[in-house]
Amino acid sequence: MNSTFSLFPLGWQHYLLGGLCIGAGVALLFVCTGLIGGMSTVFSSSWSYVLRRPFFQQERFTASRAWRLVYALGLILGTFVWWLGFAHGAAQSTSVPVWQLLVGGFFVGYGARLGNGCTSGHGICGLGSLQWPSLLAVLTFMATAFVTANLVARWLA
């Protein structure tokens, strides 16, 4: 079996297109406004509207939450447009159990908070602006992902 087919059973072109769109969008945001569009800060600043805990009420979140909420809504709208245009409105599903999605989401959120950012902030914005801490963060993210994926694959086999 062709290894490219087994890694990308639905093809690789839409991944390339998605990556180019994400990179262009983040670059356009930075060039036009000087703003950096990392998603973990978008998430925290959006929660600052409803959660009164001191962490979410930091000025770095409350001062930027309006544009970050618009940014998040644009990502959701972009996903909807992709779904209509490229998936033709077909139902999307996964065979991953809900409990694994929740546990994975918890660890991703915890890691983003621990790493002071997520893969979009460090991997796209940080590496794009040649920040050394972002390179270290991305190498850590990727190493952890490789180890985790291999452990889970062996555990499930």
Side-chain angles (χ1 to χ4, degrees):
M1 177 180 272
N2 185 344
S3 64
T4 302
F5 180 75
S6 64
L7 289 174
F8 305 103
L10 301 176
W12 55 268
Q13 296 85 354
H14 61 284
Y15 295 109
L16 176 62
L17 179 61
L20 291 173
C21 287
I22 291 169
V26 168
L28 187 63
L29 176 68
F30 183 75
V31 168
C32 292
T33 65
L35 301 171
I36 298 173
M39 285 311 299
S40 62
T41 306
V42 168
F43 180 78
S44 298
S45 65
S46 297
W47 275 109
S48 72
Y49 280 110
V50 294
L51 296 176
R52 297 295 170 216
R53 301 187 81 171
F55 175 80
F56 294 103
Q57 294 305 313
Q58 296 177 59
E59 184 177 352
R60 68 185 178 125
F61 296 141
T62 59
S64 64
R65 64 186 179 187
W67 78 262
R68 291 184 191 277
L69 186 59
V70 171
Y71 182 70
L73 292 174
L75 290 171
I76 293 167
L77 180 62
T79 302
F80 182 68
V81 168
W82 175 88
W83 180 66
L84 288 176
F86 295 104
H88 308 292
Q92 303 293 308
S93 65
T94 181
S95 61
V96 178
V98 173
W99 72 268
Q100 286 181 351
L101 293 172
L102 292 173
V103 169
F106 171 79
F107 281 117
V108 167
Y110 179 74
R113 193 53 28 228
L114 187 66
N116 200 26
C118 60
T119 51
S120 63
H122 287 298
I124 299 168
C125 303
L127 289 181
S129 58
L130 303 176
Q131 294 180 14
W132 177 252
S134 289
L135 175 61
L136 295 176
V138 168
L139 292 174
T140 302
F141 295 157
M142 295 307 293
T144 303
F146 292 146
V147 169
T148 303
N150 281 289
L151 288 174
V152 168
R154 289 178 193 260
W155 177 57
L156 295 176

